[in-house]
Amino acid sequence: MIVVLAGGVGAARFLEGLVRVVPPKDIFVVVNTGDDEEFFGLRVCPDFDIITYTLAGLVDPEKGWGIKGDTFNCLDMLSRYGYETWFLLGDRDLATHIHRTHLLKKGYTIFEIAEDIRKRLGIECQIAPMTNEFVKTKVITKEAGELDFQVYFVKRRTQDTVIEVKFQNIEKAKPAPGILDAIESADGIIISPSNPIVSIGPILAIRGIRDALQSTEAKIVAISPIVGGKTIKGPADRMLQSLGYDVSPVGVAELYKDFLDVMIIDTIDAECKKKIEALGIKAIITNTIMKSIEDKVNLAKAAVEAFKLI
Amino acid sequence: MIVVLAGGVGAARFLEGLVRVVPPKDIFVVVNTGDDEEFFGLRVCPDFDIITYTLAGLVDPEKGWGIKGDTFNCLDMLSRYGYETWFLLGDRDLATHIHRTHLLKKGYTIFEIAEDIRKRLGIECQIAPMTNEFVKTKVITKEAGELDFQVYFVKRRTQDTVIEVKFQNIEKAKPAPGILDAIESADGIIISPSNPIVSIGPILAIRGIRDALQSTEAKIVAISPIVGGKTIKGPADRMLQSLGYDVSPVGVAELYKDFLDVMIIDTIDAECKKKIEALGIKAIITNTIMKSIEDKVNLAKAAVEAFKLI
């Protein structure tokens, strides 16, 4: 069993490769739910949905989220009822949130609902939301004070300077069923090239998960989401900087150094190898930019190979 | 103030005429909610929606329900999640049900939500759901036993023989705010050309409404939904027959005879005039088929004129 800690688009692209390298049923994804939100009373799990839509072949490949060819007629009508519609939920996409909300109302947990959704979409690897608790990432910004994550991320387009990140309800959150066991008994663990603060950060903040990563005998490999001082997508670079971390694979390695065995970095960051290895973490240099499916498969292979190197 | 008791399509078409004859703000519509249903956890009020969509100019004019040009992408995706999708909810239409369900969850009543929706859609006449209670019409059929109304009406396409009609929760239902006062102080009351059993029937079954109709000083005019022994739309003709009523304006007049002053019947049913007047109800003969907007306006004029005749 390979355990993958995952955020949204970067993780989904990596997983597209991994399912071609490892039998999907041997993959256990732990996905961030800190950026979950309710819109119009419907529960939306953006990272989970990005991953399931991607693995089901439904995702809009340009945007990396939402469903390809989706329409936005419901959202347009919702604006007539006075709702803000900056979070672009397509008509097909809304079916997922209607279904999820319906099952929540019936008493099912987010974990059980995730199992139902991924099975109905024909996905063989397990995708566990990090917790059944409604943990909400809050971003404290210089310009606008405390913001819900999606307000910071989508509505305000990550324009604000992040000075602190908090996870509301994190103290109540237990890992979803199976996560601690999976980490303990894994053949290997991969940290996706996701934002270390707001995608991987919430997962690590759930009681027991960081401890399990420190104590597992499985090797842990991370792929740097920072390439040449920038992120491929999203605000991780500016966020690392404003929070006082090095905007490089070294800065990311620092955040994971208490449990990480290997950091995969891009060839452009070759000069970081020494600094990472000074932290007691092996560095592997390869192409980490995932444009084609071959890129994704090669990166997945590099990650799986890394388990054998140590 | 003109009070109109209303079902779905027939009532909506009549109201399209009435708002051109009477200032809309002087119209108070009491709409059936007995065929309300929950689909995928969303509360749908078909008759209310038909009337608001019609008066807002949004309705699909061919079908008489739903929103013109609507798409069905959400419903298509919901079928992947295992839902039955025989009740055709379009993407724009779903916005109404998402909004309604959201407000219900927040603690608003169906009456308050109706006010919000019709105002946001720019409708000036008040449209009061008959009650805030979730009353559900159940149809007992010869072929399939007891059915939820929409299962009988949409899923099974009214193919079954109705032997009894019940209104679940009717004993708990009070009229929505303003209805009894409106009936008492109305300048005139119109019973739309709607199904007398399952559209007008539930309204009349709400505690206090029938009494108010009997005791009001306002004149009460009904338009027969039966024309030449048939209904324009829906199963009222077969339903009247299987329940033992005359399938004619006379059969409808029998159902309303304890409060009705005038019955408007189609020219094709001129020979019913005598039988209706034998019940102590004045009969007015005119064209009741509403194809063009002129037909609707003329029928509305006939109804309003009828108040003056008595």
Side-chain angles (χ1 to χ4, degrees):
Chain A
M1 174 81 78
I2 305 288
V3 171
V4 181
L5 306 196
V9 178
R13 289 184 172 155
F14 174 73
L15 285 164
E16 275 189 282
L18 191 65
V19 293
R20 287 164 171 82
V21 172
V22 172
K25 62 174 183 40
D26 294 340
I27 300 172
F28 185 107
V29 181
V30 180
V31 67
N32 171 43
T33 57
D35 49 5
D36 286 13
E37 193 48 270
E38 252 196 38
F39 295 100
F40 343 114
L42 300 178
R43 177 75 167 272
V44 180
C45 301
D47 282 352
F48 175 84
D49 293 335
I50 285 168
I51 287 175
T52 51
Y53 293 165
T54 301
L55 293 180
L58 294 172
V59 82
D60 182 318
E62 296 306 312
K63 294 187 297 193
W65 50 267
I67 293 182
K68 63 185 163 200
D70 212 348
T71 48
F72 293 85
N73 292 322
C74 188
L75 200 68
D76 184 55
M77 186 72 183
L78 280 162
S79 72
R80 285 196 68 165
Y81 291 127
Y83 293 97
E84 291 190 56
T85 53
W86 45 263
F87 198 87
L88 291 176
L89 295 167
D91 295 323
R92 289 182 179 278
D93 190 12
L94 276 164
T96 305
H97 318 312
I98 290 171
H99 178 49
R100 175 181 293 124
T101 304
H102 187 209
L103 293 183
L104 275 172
K105 205 160 139 193
K106 283 184 163 182
Y108 291 94
T109 65
I110 277 291
F111 173 80
E112 291 165 335
I113 295 165
E115 277 294 279
D116 177 81
I117 291 174
R118 67 101 179 161
K119 284 178 188 167
R120 288 189 188 273
L121 296 182
I123 296 167
E124 286 179 89
C125 56
Q126 190 166 356
I127 306 169
M130 63 186 194
T131 179
N132 280 323
E133 194 67 37
F134 198 168
V135 169
K136 286 192 72 167
T137 299
K138 301 280 186 174
V139 176
I140 293 95
T141 65
K142 206 165 113 181
E143 297 82 356
E146 183 170 315
L147 300 174
D148 286 343
F149 180 75
Q150 296 301 347
V151 172
Y152 158 75
F153 192 65
V154 178
K155 187 178 183 187
R156 296 178 60 89
R157 297 162 190 270
T158 75
Q159 66 184 303
D160 305 296
T161 309
V162 177
I163 52 179
E164 194 189 342
V165 171
K166 293 195 292 192
F167 308 121
Q168 193 180 57
N169 281 336
I170 196 79
E171 68 288 352
K172 292 187 214 155
K174 288 185 299 183
I179 292 179
L180 294 184
D181 283 349
I183 291 173
E184 199 190 318
S185 64
D187 297 311
I189 297 168
I190 300 170
I191 318 285
S192 302
S194 298
N195 186 316
I197 311 291
V198 292
S199 296
I200 304 301
I203 302 175
L204 299 179
I206 304 273
R207 190 192 329 149
I209 291 190
R210 192 161 204 130
D211 287 346
L213 291 169
Q214 288 167 352
S215 65
T216 182
E217 288 181 21
K219 296 302 172 197
I220 306 180
V221 174
I223 298 145
S224 175
I226 301 289
V227 175
K230 294 200 178 303
T231 33
I232 304 302
K233 200 172 157 67
D237 45 5
R238 283 169 291 127
M239 210 180 260
L240 283 169
Q241 180 160 49
S242 65
L243 292 171
Y245 298 100
D246 201 37
V247 189
S248 75
V250 184
V252 179
E254 285 275 3
L255 287 161
Y256 300 153
K257 69 181 172 192
D258 52 314
F259 57 77
L260 195 65
D261 297 299
V262 181
M263 175 69 96
I264 297 180
I265 63 175
D266 197 78
T267 45
I268 205 174
D269 292 312
E271 90 281 9
C272 294
K273 185 177 164 76
K274 205 168 277 179
K275 280 191 182 168
I276 290 169
E277 298 201 330
L279 296 169
I281 297 164
K282 190 169 170 61
I284 291 177
I285 299 165
T286 188
N287 170 44
T288 65
I289 308 287
M290 295 178 283
K291 283 188 178 152
S292 67
I293 188 67
E294 289 72 29
D295 294 337
K296 294 168 192 171
V297 166
N298 287 336
L299 186 57
K301 279 183 184 162
V304 172
E305 286 298 312
F307 295 134
K308 301 175 192 160
L309 294 178
I310 34 178
Chain B
M1 174 81 77
I2 305 288
V3 172
V4 181
L5 306 196
V9 178
R13 289 184 172 155
F14 173 74
L15 285 164
E16 275 188 281
L18 191 64
V19 293
R20 287 165 172 82
V21 172
V22 173
K25 62 173 183 40
D26 294 339
I27 300 172
F28 186 107
V29 181
V30 180
V31 66
N32 171 42
T33 58
D35 49 4
D36 286 13
E37 192 48 270
E38 251 195 40
F39 295 100
F40 343 114
L42 300 178
R43 177 76 167 271
V44 180
C45 301
D47 282 352
F48 175 83
D49 293 336
I50 284 168
I51 287 175
T52 51
Y53 293 165
T54 301
L55 293 180
L58 293 171
V59 81
D60 182 318
E62 295 307 312
K63 294 187 296 194
W65 50 267
I67 293 182
K68 63 185 164 200
D70 212 348
T71 48
F72 293 85
N73 292 322
C74 187
L75 201 67
D76 184 55
M77 187 71 182
L78 280 162
S79 72
R80 285 197 67 165
Y81 291 128
Y83 293 96
E84 291 190 56
T85 54
W86 45 263
F87 198 87
L88 291 176
L89 295 166
D91 295 324
R92 288 182 180 277
D93 190 11
L94 276 163
T96 305
H97 318 311
I98 290 170
H99 178 48
R100 175 181 293 124
T101 304
H102 186 209
L103 293 184
L104 275 172
K105 206 160 137 192
K106 284 185 163 183
Y108 291 93
T109 65
I110 277 291
F111 173 81
E112 291 165 336
I113 296 165
E115 277 294 280
D116 178 81
I117 290 174
R118 67 100 179 161
K119 284 178 188 166
R120 288 189 187 275
L121 296 182
I123 296 167
E124 287 179 89
C125 56
Q126 189 166 357
I127 306 169
M130 63 186 194
T131 179
N132 280 322
E133 194 67 37
F134 198 168
V135 168
K136 286 191 72 168
T137 299
K138 302 280 186 175
V139 175
I140 294 96
T141 65
K142 206 165 115 182
E143 297 82 356
E146 182 171 315
L147 300 174
D148 286 343
F149 180 74
Q150 296 301 347
V151 172
Y152 158 76
F153 192 65
V154 178
K155 186 178 183 187
R156 296 177 60 89
R157 296 161 190 272
T158 74
Q159 66 184 303
D160 305 296
T161 309
V162 177
I163 52 179
E164 194 188 342
V165 171
K166 293 194 293 192
F167 308 121
Q168 194 180 57
N169 281 336
I170 196 79
E171 68 288 353
K172 291 188 215 153
K174 288 185 298 183
I179 292 179
L180 295 184
D181 284 348
I183 290 173
E184 199 190 317
S185 63
D187 297 311
I189 297 168
I190 299 170
I191 318 285
S192 301
S194 298
N195 186 317
I197 310 292
V198 292
S199 296
I200 304 301
I203 302 175
L204 299 179
I206 304 274
R207 189 193 329 149
I209 291 190
R210 191 160 205 132
D211 287 346
L213 290 169
Q214 288 167 353
S215 64
T216 183
E217 288 181 21
K219 295 302 171 196
I220 305 180
V221 174
I223 298 146
S224 175
I226 301 289
V227 174
K230 294 200 179 303
T231 33
I232 303 303
K233 200 172 158 67
D237 45 4
R238 283 170 291 127
M239 209 179 260
L240 283 169
Q241 180 159 50
S242 65
L243 291 171
Y245 299 99
D246 201 37
V247 189
S248 74
V250 184
V252 179
E254 286 275 2
L255 287 161
Y256 299 153
K257 68 181 172 193
D258 53 313
F259 57 77
L260 195 65
D261 297 299
V262 180
M263 174 70 95
I264 297 180
I265 63 175
D266 197 79
T267 44
I268 205 174
D269 292 312
E271 89 281 9
C272 294
K273 184 178 165 76
K274 205 168 278 180
K275 279 191 182 168
I276 290 169
E277 298 200 330
L279 296 169
I281 297 164
K282 189 169 171 61
I284 291 177
I285 299 166
T286 188
N287 170 43
T288 65
I289 309 287
M290 295 178 283
K291 283 188 177 153
S292 67
I293 188 67
E294 288 72 29
D295 294 337
K296 294 167 192 171
V297 166
N298 287 337
L299 186 56
K301 278 183 184 163
V304 171
E305 286 299 311
F307 295 134
K308 300 175 192 161
L309 294 179
I310 34 178

